[in-house]
Each structure stands twice: as C-alpha cells, then as structure tokens.
Amino acid sequence: MTRLTVELGARSYPILIGEGLLDELGAHVAPLLKRPRTMIVTDTHVADAYLAKVGAALGAEGISFSSLVLPAGEATKSWEGLARLTEWLIGEGVERSDHVIALGGGVIGDLVGFACSIVKRGCAFIQVPTTLLAQVDSSVGGKTAINVPAGKNLIGAFHQPALVVIDPTTLSTLPRRELGAGYAEVVKYGLIDDADFFAWCEANGAALLAGDTAARAYAIAHSVAAKARIVAADERETQDIRALLNLGHSFGHALEAETGYSARLLHGEAVAAGMVLAHRFSAAKGLSSAADAERVRAHLASVDLPHSLASAGINTGGAALAAHMAHDKKVRGGKLPLILTRGIGRSFVTDEYGLDSVAEFLDGQAA
Ligand SMILES: NC(=O)c1ccc[n+]([C@@H]2O[C@H](COP(=O)([O-])OP(=O)(O)OC[C@H]3O[C@@H](n4cnc5c(N)ncnc54)[C@H](O)[C@@H]3O)[C@@H](O)[C@H]2O)c1
Ligand SMILES: [Zn+2]
C-alpha cells in the first residue's frame, strides 16, 4: 500500500492507494469515527459492483451504515441531486462529526463533498473514488460543486475530505472509454511540469489502458502525488500554481460546451484534444516547438483519445468556440488566463493572449 499526505496543516489528510483496499475499508475508516456508524452515497453502476463489498468491509469492523444510491450520470450533480442528498443525510440523523463515504466517480465525489460542506454547516467525508479520473484527480484537493443551467461547477465550495482510499482494482469494471478519459488527466501531470513522466506515459500508456496493474498503480500514485503537491502549495488557486491543473481545460471547455456536455465528448476526451490545442497554440505563438505539440498529439492519438478538433467531432468556427471560452468561470477582468507551454513539462499561466487571437488560431485548426 502507498500512503501519501495532502499537507494542509490541521486539515492534512492521508491518501491510501493499494489493490484490494476496498476489502479493508472498515479498518481505515474506524479510527476516524466518533460512533460506529456511517452513510454511504454511491450511484447505480457503482452500487451494483461494489456496495455489497464495501458494506461487508465496514460490517467486519462493527460499523453500521445506511446507503443512498443515486442515478449514474452527470445530471445527478444538480440542485435536485443536492436537495435529495442533503435531506436524506438529515433524515438519517447525520452529525457533524460523522464521516459520509462518497463511493464512485467524480460526480458522486463532487456532489457528496458539496453536500457535506453545507449540511449542518459542515460534516466530514471520505472519498472512495472508483473511476480513473476520480482516482488521479477529483477525489483529491477539496473542490466540490454541482452544475446549474448557467454552467458546470458554478455552485460549490472548497471542502477537503478526511481520507481518500483508492483501490485500483475497481478499474477492472470501468468502461474502456471512461478509462481513456481518466488517462488524459494522467498525461496532463507529465505535461504540466514532469517531462520524464510524460515519457513514461508514452512508453506505458497503452499497457496501462490494456489493464497492466503495475502500470496502473504507478500512474495513480505518481499522479496523486503531483496533485497533492500542487494542492498543498495553492489550495484555493490564488497563486497560478493550482491553475496549472487546468492545462487543456480552457480549450477543452469550449469543446464540451459545443457538444452540450454530452456523451459525444467526455470531459477527459475534451481535455485530451484541449491539451493538443494548448501545445499547438503555444507553438503558433513561438513559445514552444511544433515538434513538442506533435509529440503530444501522437501519444494521445496512439491511445485513441481525441487529438484535434476533427477527431473530437467539432466542425465549428473559431469565433463560436472562443465565445464559449469567454463564459469560462476563470475569466478575470474580461481576460481568460490560458495555460500555455514552453515545451513538454514546462507549462505556465498567462493572460497575454486575447480571445480574438484564440479564435483566429482555432479557425486554422479546423479540418
Ligand atoms: N473536484 C475536482 O477537482 C474535479 C476534477 C475533475 C473532474 N471533476 C468532476 O468529475 C466529474 C466526472 O467524474 P467521472 O469521470 O469519474 O464521471 P462519473 O462519476 O460520472 O463516472 C463515469 C461513469 O462510470 C461509472 N462508474 C464509476 N466507477 C465505476 C466502476 N468502477 N466500474 C464501472 N462503472 C463505474 C459511473 O456510474 C458513470 O456512469 C465531472 O462532474 C467533473 O466536473 C471534479
Ligand atoms: Zn479535468
């Protein structure tokens, strides 16, 4: 088992990573509880595969629990989902010292984290992520949110979990497309500030996606360590450090908005194409080489991830895509900070380039 810590003073918390940890969940949760009782929140897909196992692991330590199974899918991260969850927690008699368990992907993690930040003015929660995306990204760092009609993740709070338990064996049931989308966020850590890790991805990404458990475990631990380091340095994204995690996301956001946040393009798939666009834009501005941008494109293409506007299914003009970017919640004083790069593993934040120049660039990227 690998044990990492997110260093946040009094709010520091451990991240445990290991094959089979789900079966030991009770033993890791028990020391945190003031009473031997917890509430598990999950979705329909994850409940079918893992709720009984998690329940047995808690039962083995004498921990009683109740569970709420919400519909699988992004629509659950909504006002309706939040109302249902918070009212259920109150009905279950949740106390502020209780630890609610979020068992699932980023949708369940984000929703449960947000509910726990407001129910009775805040109770504790534990992340048990079951998608690759949640295991390498969303379960760590304390960003919680729901979506509203005006946009994704617009209502939320920073609320750190008390513990994160990652069991990579859960990935064996994850659909291949979801695995690929999570893998895009793995590659992102290499591109942010770790060229050696990007080279590792080039050499091992295909094996990881084919089910190589050693590659999977290495990538998760390496990615989570990077995320923990970035979050500890800039918890609330005030210093341009945590913002680097948005590499590929501003471009990706435009593609997601254009495809209506639908199954046409998963978040991680949009990020994959967005990372290529960020590297190409950087090359177009003379910040980095076209060869580096091509290296990023080639790797993502080799693992069947979208790597261009065309392969992401987008045939919209640059102006329309840039208009989506103008609605990004990161816009400050009318300018959108972009994460660009000086080469593989050398990304940085800048607001030097206006959306008009982004629109012109995107026009040139159309097939
Ligand atoms: N808080 C953050 O820092 C952060 C970071 C990145 C993304 N997010 C959020 O995460 C969400 C996306 O998360 P996601 O990609 O995990 O999606 P998800 O939670 O919707 O899970 C994807 C699908 O996989 C299913 N699933 C989950 N685990 C499974 C398993 N082990 N076996 C079989 N099926 C399984 C789910 O039921 C769902 O159908 C978005 O809402 C995004 O905004 C948050
Ligand atoms: Zn992302």
Side-chain angles (χ1 to χ4, degrees):
M1 179 179 86
T2 304
R3 185 190 169 97
L4 302 167
T5 306
V6 184
E7 301 284 357
L8 288 169
R11 288 173 296 108
S12 295
Y13 54 94
I15 304 165
L16 311 179
I17 308 164
E19 303 262 332
L21 272 183
L22 233 45
D23 295 306
E24 299 168 23
L25 189 65
H28 297 292
V29 167
L32 300 176
L33 305 184
K34 292 236 161 51
R35 56 174 181 161
R37 163 155 176 68
T38 185
M39 282 138 258
I40 305 172
V41 183
T42 189
D43 74 21
T44 45
H45 297 155
V46 180
D48 286 348
Y50 303 107
L51 186 54
K53 187 192 263 283
V54 165
L58 295 171
E61 297 294 320
I63 302 167
S64 68
F65 67 92
S66 46
S67 57
L68 177 66
V69 181
L70 295 167
E74 190 73 31
T76 285
K77 243 180 78 172
S78 60
W79 286 119
E80 294 72 24
L82 182 70
R84 187 168 163 201
L85 172 52
T86 48
E87 282 167 26
W88 178 77
L89 288 171
I90 289 166
E92 289 298 311
V94 67
E95 297 181 1
R96 294 178 73 176
S97 62
D98 284 339
H99 289 64
V100 178
I101 296 177
L103 173 68
V107 164
I108 290 296
D110 279 16
L111 176 70
V112 171
F114 186 40
C116 290
S117 80
I118 55 175
V119 76
K120 298 198 170 169
R121 298 206 178 86
C123 70
F125 78 115
I126 294 169
Q127 290 272 21
V128 185
T130 61
T131 63
L132 183 58
L133 181 135
Q135 294 184 349
V136 299
D137 191 354
S138 64
S139 66
V140 172
K143 278 193 181 177
T144 76
I146 57 169
N147 307 320
V148 291
K152 270 196 73 179
N153 296 327
L154 288 184
I155 303 289
F158 284 98
H159 188 48
Q160 299 290 347
L163 170 70
V164 182
V165 178
I166 300 174
D167 183 346
T169 59
T170 57
L171 302 181
S172 62
T173 52
L174 191 67
R176 169 61 177 81
R177 197 173 161 205
E178 295 287 350
L179 196 65
Y183 178 70
E185 305 275 8
V186 171
V187 173
K188 181 184 77 179
Y189 292 108
L191 296 176
I192 288 174
D193 65 354
D194 192 344
D196 290 345
F197 186 58
F198 180 71
W200 183 92
C201 289
E202 289 178 310
N204 299 282
L208 183 163
L209 289 165
D212 181 323
T213 55
R216 210 164 59 182
Y218 178 80
I220 292 170
H222 197 89
S223 300
V224 167
K227 175 106 191 222
R229 182 167 32 81
I230 290 169
V231 168
D234 183 15
E235 184 184 10
R236 297 205 167 212
E237 204 167 317
T238 52
Q239 301 167 54
D240 280 0
I241 301 171
R242 188 164 184 169
L244 294 174
L245 293 169
N246 294 320
L247 175 63
H249 281 61
S250 292
F251 287 102
H253 172 82
L255 311 187
E256 282 186 280
E258 188 60 30
T259 47
Y261 296 96
S262 68
R264 276 173 62 196
L265 195 64
L266 300 178
H267 171 73
E269 293 173 335
V271 168
M275 291 191 299
V276 176
L277 293 170
H279 279 73
R280 285 191 171 168
F281 185 75
S282 301
K285 296 294 168 192
L287 297 165
S288 60
S289 73
D292 277 347
E294 173 52 22
R295 210 178 135 191
V296 175
R297 191 206 62 75
H299 177 54
L300 296 169
S302 77
V303 293
D304 293 329
L305 278 165
H307 50 92
S308 61
L309 290 181
S311 60
I314 305 283
N315 51 17
T316 318
L321 294 174
H324 289 306
M325 293 168 82
H327 294 129
D328 199 301
K329 65 182 175 301
K330 291 179 282 292
V331 169
R332 256 179 263 142
K335 286 192 158 178
L336 176 62
L338 287 174
I339 319 303
L340 299 181
T341 187
R342 298 191 176 89
I344 305 275
R346 297 178 61 204
S347 64
F348 66 101
V349 185
T350 177
D351 59 6
E352 201 165 309
Y353 302 96
L355 285 174
D356 45 346
S357 110
V358 172
E360 191 185 319
F361 161 77
L362 288 171
D363 273 334
Q365 295 297 307

